[in-house]
Amino acid sequence: MARRTTSNSPGSSPGPRNRTPQPLPRRRRTVGDFAKALLAFVALLVLLIGVPGALAAQIGWPLPSGAPKVEWLQQEITVDTFINVLTVVVWFAWAQFTACVLVEVKAALSGVGLPNRVPGAGPSQLLARQLVAALLLVGATAASFAPGLSQLGQQLEGNQRPAAAAAAQQTPGGLLGQQQEQAAASAAALAEQAAGAAAHAEGGSGAQASGDDTKFYRIQPPEGRHHDSLWEIAERHLGDGRRYKEIHQLNKDRTQPDGSKLSEASLIRPGWIMEMPGDARGGELVEVPDEAPKVSPEVQRQISDYARTGGAHQQGAGQQGGGFGSQDRDTAHISLPEQRPAPGQGHQQGQPGRQGEQEHAAPAAGEGSGFGLPQALLGAPLLAAGLLGALGRRRRQALWQSALGAVGGRRGMEPPTPTGAAADAQDALLVGADPEGVRLLDRSLRGLAAALAGESRPLPTVYAAWMSGNGDLHLQLAQPAGKPPAPWQLGQDQTFWMLARADAERYEDVDTAAPYPGLVSLGTMDDSRLLLNLESVPGIVSLSGREQDRAGVFASVAAELATNGWSDRMTITLVGFGEDLTPLAPNRLRHLDDIEALVETMEAETRQRRGALGAAGHDSVLTGRTGPAQHTRWAPHLVLLAAEPSAEDAVKLAELAADASRLGIGYLVGTQSGDLPGAAWEMEITSEGKLLAPLLGLELDAQLLPVSQQRAVVELFTDADPERDDDRPTTTPPFLVDISEQGRPAVYARLVGPYEIIGLETPDGERSPLLHEALALLLLHREGVHPRVLSSALWPRGVTDDVRDALVERLRTWLGSDPDGTARLAADATGRLKLAKSVVSDLDVLRSLYHEATQGRGAGSRAVRGRLLTDALVLVRGPLLAERSAGRYGWLTHEIIDAQLPLLVADIGLALSAFHLEKDRAEKAIEALDAALGSAPGDERLWHELLRATHATGDTDRLKRLAADLVSRSGARGLPPRTEALLDELLPTWRSGVASVG
């Protein structure tokens, strides 16, 4: 990734110009400083020595000289008793104050971290800190150890930080900083930083000229959930958090005391030294050379080494172009993980996250507008996989509801064939989808949750996941959580857990709740895809930019959350957009009309979740997900608010979002201005499709779902809606063949059962499997197949255009031409590949026979109907493409033919059974039903008709045996209610009869 730097030119940044820092005049110690130090010394003498001396001389030992007795409780309380009690209290107060002084002096002299807190000594410790600071004000290092006296009124008990700094600490930079291991290294680094830049005093090549003051800051170790960030440092010492780029510019790529660098994809670490711009101010800074002589020679040598890494290096770097849009990613707090090969592998081409995600980033060369597909769906493999899977489930549901409803001509209904933009969208989903990536992501996350639960460890808070180009998965944690369970490994630092693709492929399905269902794709940086965990954000995520640009982000986020494969249950509330998106997932998506309804809804849910967590004894939804109620509780609720809230509503939302991450609630809110109260993470979408997050240091190629493609996708779902009530005519098969003797095809392929081809010579061994598979795909899609869909199906890992075109040409040559010279494989006006009518499959014949028997000539002639249905059932030789080669035909997982074929066979069996029962030929009906059950054993309708046909034979024992067989097949689930009701009607004693048969 190319390094991006800020410019020194005016207008390159929305904040103050990143000018070369000029040193301020040296600050000499004044008479006032010495007076303050003298007064502090006197005060400490009085408090530490005078108070105990006076107590000992004037009052003496206040406690009784003997063991307690019962008679003491009966003695009269005198003035001496009160004085002794008060004396004991004063002694305790003195001891506490003395402890505070010792803690502050130790921290000041050693420079190790922040001073420890003395329990219950807030005011006492503040006073001790100020007195120690005033005493050391004339020394070498006082400025870095304690705030100035002028800040006394601003300090809060417990070393809390000012409100501006606390707000800045809620950014991922503060929460994703290094903590435990680096805190130990900060002890030595503090002494080095305290010297600041002794090299400048020695005349070495530093960032400032010799003899000038140079100021330095030491990155503070974490305190609770508060961590230093460059933004916060700039806020405190430069007056503007946006000047963090100046600090970064002065220090990037310089070796720190622990040997590491502030470089690309790195976080600032406790104990690091930051050279500051010359106008930096604040009591925590160390000024050199005034204070350098006060440190040890060893520390001076170390600080000299650091200072020598500045100078010309910084000036050269500062001359590179930049601006707000090109801010350094080196300060990224959600940082791009280091790319590393999986164990035993290199960075092989053809091993991306999708098994070819890189090929989806842009259309193949030479494929213009007439040959292209919607780019947004091609470049969103996880979104496309989710939509494709949800669409398949919707179509299967429609088929089964149509079959079980048995409403007139809707029995055996064929899904409508999409056209126009909907067809392009479907093709883009087929090309762009990465179901294997979704499967690995889901198994990896659930496997991690199961492993942690097995070790009685809580789930760590995850802010983001990166799916890298070689297929590795990196989880970025809010804070270090120790060593991950195998096969997970620590990543580039303590806040990254990494799982190599080779290890992820060994995971099996586990019965545990999805741990991070709120992960959603935002875009790509280089060849890595970022998934942000909206559920874990400590506040609101704001999205600014033009309304039409924001709409594409909101639609993409909503569609992926609604259909992704790595979550179980969730609620997604859409406000200000998305009413037409609800068909994607009616059980997940909910649309509200206005913000007022949203606030009312979320206030009630926030109260309910807080109470439920408290009653369950959990501190967050993460711990609840790994408990015994994991499958029924703590599903996330994600709010997507596209309409900009008013100032009053924004404040209400900020209050609700303050505790949202603990409750499993996430907020993504659109804003025109970018200034939103309570926004922890701020993002901006540009008209060029870039998603910028300055505080996070991200610049992504955004994942979008534009309005036109959004409508096309929704059309696919609405056309497949099983509840849709329209006036469409009964669906006709997409391709009807001439079933007469004159309609004999030139090429006949048997797909129902073992794959056979009649009418063609078998190609040579190497080419045969690909040609057979390509022909099968075309036969199942008589409407045509886009060339990119064909190549994606045959080569899931990706392939070049010339290889694909060569295969198409070989397939065209193999199929040959009709007698009139027409090629049997040609492209239509849209560029899709279609087969000629002379190339036919047994599935085409099966559909045509059933259609002709029920809606054609057989509808008016009983004899014709019986003959056609019998011929159709004879064609059924087993499941589709039985005995197919292992590792091939993976594209069948996208198809619904596996649901269509059993339903079609069942409809044929039922129709033929009814034909025979009309003439009381029960045995013939049973024969037809048995044949259909061989291909559709799970169809309840066939079993019901088999029960009726068996009952019609009058053989009660045979009926009992069939009932017993049904009961054994049902297993622990038991018989379906309809089946039980039918048995009660046909065989009232079936329960006892089944027991006797068993």
Side-chain angles (χ1 to χ4, degrees):
M1 167 167 42
R3 188 178 304 283
R4 305 177 68 90
T5 59
T6 54
S7 173
N8 293 337
S9 60
S12 66
S13 171
R17 292 189 303 171
N18 192 6
R19 56 192 180 280
T20 302
Q22 299 297 323
L24 294 175
R26 292 183 186 173
R27 185 184 182 279
R28 302 298 183 186
R29 303 309 179 204
T30 65
V31 176
D33 293 334
F34 284 98
K36 292 177 183 177
L38 179 60
L39 291 174
F41 179 72
V42 172
L44 287 173
L45 282 179
V46 170
L47 292 173
L48 296 179
I49 300 176
V51 169
L55 290 173
Q58 299 298 323
I59 300 177
W61 185 253
L63 298 177
S65 57
K69 299 179 181 179
V70 179
E71 290 79 3
W72 291 1
L73 300 176
Q74 301 173 352
Q75 292 180 359
E76 182 180 356
I77 298 176
T78 63
V79 174
D80 291 338
T81 304
F82 279 107
I83 292 176
N84 288 337
V85 171
L86 291 175
T87 302
V88 172
V89 173
V90 173
W91 273 109
F92 275 118
W94 172 83
Q96 185 186 58
F97 179 77
T98 302
C100 294
V101 172
L102 293 176
V103 166
E104 296 295 330
V105 170
K106 178 180 179 296
L109 295 179
S110 66
V112 180
L114 295 173
N116 293 326
R117 292 186 59 186
V118 178
S124 296
Q125 191 161 1
L126 286 176
L127 176 60
R129 182 175 307 153
Q130 302 308 318
L131 291 176
V132 171
L135 180 62
L136 298 179
L137 191 61
V138 296
T141 59
S144 69
F145 300 137
L149 287 171
S150 61
Q151 296 177 321
L152 176 60
Q154 303 174 13
Q155 297 297 321
L156 304 176
E157 182 177 354
N159 297 331
Q160 287 183 325
R161 308 204 177 165
Q169 288 161 346
Q170 294 303 316
T171 68
L175 295 173
L176 293 175
Q178 302 295 323
Q179 295 187 354
Q180 298 169 348
E181 290 186 358
Q182 294 145 0
S186 67
L190 173 61
E192 304 167 63
Q193 178 271 335
H200 294 266
E202 298 170 2
S205 59
Q208 305 295 336
S210 178
D212 289 340
D213 295 339
T214 304
K215 297 178 181 179
F216 286 79
Y217 177 82
R218 174 186 53 82
I219 304 300
Q220 298 293 313
E223 180 186 8
R225 288 178 63 88
H226 297 292
H227 309 263
D228 256 341
S229 67
L230 289 181
W231 180 283
E232 179 188 346
I233 295 167
E235 185 83 29
R236 289 201 307 269
H237 299 295
L238 299 176
D240 187 349
R242 291 174 294 184
R243 293 185 64 187
Y244 72 93
K245 291 180 280 189
E246 297 179 39
I247 305 174
H248 171 262
Q249 190 70 20
L250 286 171
N251 296 277
K252 70 175 184 178
D253 296 329
R254 296 170 66 177
T255 302
Q256 293 288 340
D258 61 1
S260 55
K261 296 180 180 180
L262 176 61
S263 58
E264 193 164 356
S266 294
L267 305 172
I268 59 174
R269 301 181 179 180
W272 277 7
I273 301 166
M274 292 290 114
E275 182 177 337
M276 300 292 289
D279 60 342
R281 289 178 174 80
E284 296 172 324
L285 299 179
V286 174
E287 192 170 323
V288 178
D290 283 358
E291 295 155 346
K294 302 295 184 180
V295 298
S296 67
E298 175 63 18
V299 173
Q300 291 186 35
R301 183 191 63 78
Q302 293 173 343
I303 203 66
S304 176
D305 292 341
Y306 180 75
R308 287 195 182 97
T309 62
H313 170 79
Q314 295 301 318
Q315 295 173 3
Q319 293 170 359
Q320 300 178 19
F324 177 75
S326 60
Q327 66 113 75
D328 279 11
R329 290 198 184 97
D330 296 9
T331 57
H333 303 311
I334 286 188
S335 53
L336 190 68
E338 295 175 353
Q339 302 300 303
R340 63 177 71 187
Q345 300 183 25
H347 288 267
Q348 303 175 6
Q349 286 191 350
Q351 290 292 333
R354 180 216 181 258
Q355 295 186 354
E357 183 175 319
Q358 291 174 328
E359 285 80 11
H360 303 151
E367 294 187 352
S369 59
F371 208 57
L373 294 172
Q375 184 60 37
L377 294 174
L378 292 177
L382 303 184
L383 169 61
L387 289 171
L388 197 60
L391 181 61
R393 291 190 295 272
R394 179 66 55 82
R395 287 173 172 172
R396 285 177 172 83
Q397 182 185 10
L399 284 173
W400 279 104
Q401 288 196 17
S402 173
L404 295 176
V407 181
R410 292 182 64 84
R411 292 184 62 179
M413 181 191 70
E414 294 284 342
T417 301
T419 58
D424 288 340
Q426 177 173 273
D427 287 342
L429 293 177
L430 289 168
V431 175
D434 181 14
E436 177 66 10
V438 171
R439 184 183 68 86
L440 290 179
L441 176 62
D442 181 47
R443 285 187 173 184
S444 300
L445 295 177
R446 294 180 194 266
L448 174 63
L452 289 171
E455 298 177 6
S456 299
R457 294 172 60 186
L459 285 168
T461 300
V462 169
Y463 277 146
W466 288 95
M467 298 186 71
S468 62
N470 65 345
D472 294 346
L473 175 63
H474 301 253
L475 296 184
Q476 194 159 3
L477 313 183
Q479 54 190 350
K483 184 179 180 180
W488 290 79
Q489 311 167 34
L490 283 175
Q492 61 201 48
D493 57 51
Q494 292 289 321
T495 60
F496 275 95
W497 285 3
M498 191 274 291
L499 181 67
R501 183 184 179 93
D503 294 325
E505 290 172 343
R506 290 194 287 269
Y507 264 119
E508 300 292 338
D509 291 327
V510 293
D511 184 22
T512 188
Y516 303 112
L519 285 169
V520 64
S521 302
L522 290 185
T524 57
M525 180 186 293
D526 292 343
D527 61 347
S528 293
R529 182 169 301 277
L530 171 67
L531 289 85
L532 196 64
N533 190 3
L534 287 177
E535 184 188 13
S536 70
V537 178
I540 292 174
V541 179
S542 69
L543 178 66
S544 61
R546 298 186 308 171
E547 183 176 359
Q548 58 267 39
D549 297 325
R550 300 199 313 263
V553 177
F554 273 105
S556 171
V557 170
E560 186 169 300
L561 288 173
T563 61
N564 73 58
W566 54 86
S567 63
D568 298 321
R569 300 181 305 113
M570 69 167 60
T571 300
I572 308 157
T573 298
L574 312 179
V575 185
F577 82 107
E579 186 172 5
D580 55 342
L581 285 176
T582 51
L584 302 184
N587 294 331
R588 285 192 179 185
L589 290 170
R590 175 178 61 179
H591 181 267
L592 295 181
D593 294 330
D594 51 39
I595 301 177
E596 182 179 356
L598 172 67
V599 172
E600 181 180 352
T601 300
M602 298 314 299
E603 284 178 344
E605 179 153 349
T606 299
R607 287 194 300 270
Q608 188 272 334
R609 290 201 174 210
R610 282 175 181 161
L613 275 179
H618 297 299
D619 58 349
S620 74
V621 295
L622 286 180
T623 55
R625 284 191 187 136
T626 56
Q630 56 178 324
H631 291 289
T632 58
R633 293 185 180 179
W634 323 126
H637 186 166
L638 303 175
V639 176
L640 308 181
L641 173 57
E644 184 166 10
S646 65
E648 181 180 355
D649 290 332
V651 171
K652 291 180 180 178
L653 288 174
E655 293 173 351
L656 290 172
D659 197 28
S661 61
R662 187 177 68 90
L663 305 176
I665 302 174
Y667 293 86
L668 177 62
V669 181
T671 172
Q672 188 72 32
S673 62
D675 184 15
L676 193 68
W681 296 352
E682 297 178 347
M683 300 184 181
E684 176 188 1
I685 179 66
T686 69
S687 56
E688 293 78 24
K690 295 290 185 180
L691 189 65
L692 309 178
L695 268 182
L696 308 183
L698 296 177
E699 182 177 337
L700 305 171
D701 294 322
Q703 179 172 298
L704 306 171
L705 186 59
V707 173
S708 59
Q709 296 176 36
Q710 174 183 330
R711 290 172 179 166
V713 168
V714 170
E715 181 181 341
L716 292 173
F717 278 79
T718 53
D719 283 346
D721 186 358
E723 304 297 332
R724 179 173 178 176
D725 185 14
D726 56 23
D727 298 326
R728 289 179 298 177
T730 301
T731 307
T732 301
F735 178 68
L736 292 175
V737 300
D738 184 358
I739 57 176
S740 66
E741 187 65 26
Q742 293 74 24
R744 184 179 299 274
V747 178
Y748 182 66
R750 292 182 174 180
L751 304 180
V752 184
Y755 192 2
E756 300 176 16
I757 297 179
I758 301 172
L760 292 176
E761 295 291 335
T762 303
D764 50 9
E766 292 183 0
R767 300 174 180 176
S768 181
L770 273 177
L771 291 174
H772 277 73
E773 186 174 357
L775 179 57
L777 178 62
L778 290 166
L779 285 168
L780 292 178
H781 290 277
R782 303 302 305 222
E783 72 278 9
V785 176
H786 196 287
R788 297 192 69 181
V789 174
L790 179 66
S791 63
S792 176
L794 299 181
W795 293 282
R797 296 178 184 271
V799 72
T800 58
D801 296 347
D802 56 345
V803 173
R804 178 200 64 207
D805 294 341
L807 175 82
V808 172
E809 189 58 36
R810 283 197 296 270
L811 182 60
R812 184 180 286 113
T813 302
W814 181 43
L815 291 173
S817 302
D818 287 331
D820 61 358
T822 304
R824 292 173 181 151
L825 177 64
D828 63 9
T830 65
R832 289 174 170 82
L833 300 171
K834 295 184 66 174
L835 293 171
K837 292 184 178 180
S838 58
V839 182
V840 173
S841 73
D842 56 354
L843 184 59
D844 297 326
V845 176
L846 190 67
R847 287 168 168 163
S848 299
L849 287 170
Y850 178 65
H851 180 268
E852 189 69 17
T854 56
Q855 300 180 46
R857 290 180 295 128
S861 171
R862 186 177 184 279
V864 171
R865 183 169 70 254
R867 177 172 55 83
L868 292 174
L869 291 173
T870 302
D871 290 345
L873 202 57
V874 170
L875 292 176
V876 180
R877 301 176 301 127
L880 187 75
L881 294 170
E883 304 175 6
R884 57 181 177 266
S885 302
R888 304 214 63 88
Y889 298 87
W891 47 269
L892 279 173
T893 58
H894 302 314
E895 307 285 341
I896 64 167
I897 186 62
D898 60 337
Q900 286 177 294
L901 181 58
L903 284 175
L904 177 60
V905 173
D907 282 347
I908 294 173
L910 291 170
L912 188 56
S913 172
F915 171 81
H916 288 303
L917 288 176
E918 287 177 0
K919 295 296 184 179
D920 295 328
R921 295 196 290 262
E923 292 296 339
K924 288 287 185 180
I926 292 173
E927 182 180 341
L929 292 169
D930 283 337
L933 281 168
S935 295
D939 197 314
E940 189 180 356
R941 299 172 301 158
L942 290 174
W943 290 104
H944 290 176
E945 290 304 311
L946 185 59
L947 286 171
R948 293 188 178 98
T950 305
H951 180 266
T953 64
D955 190 340
T956 304
D957 293 336
R958 187 176 181 180
L959 185 59
K960 288 181 179 180
R961 289 194 296 273
L962 178 59
D965 184 30
L966 273 174
V967 171
S968 63
R969 287 173 180 268
S970 63
R973 295 176 300 174
L975 291 174
R978 290 184 181 181
T979 305
E980 283 195 358
L982 181 60
L983 279 173
D984 288 337
E985 175 188 345
L986 301 178
L987 187 64
T989 61
W990 68 274
R991 290 178 174 83
S992 59
V994 166
S996 62
V997 171

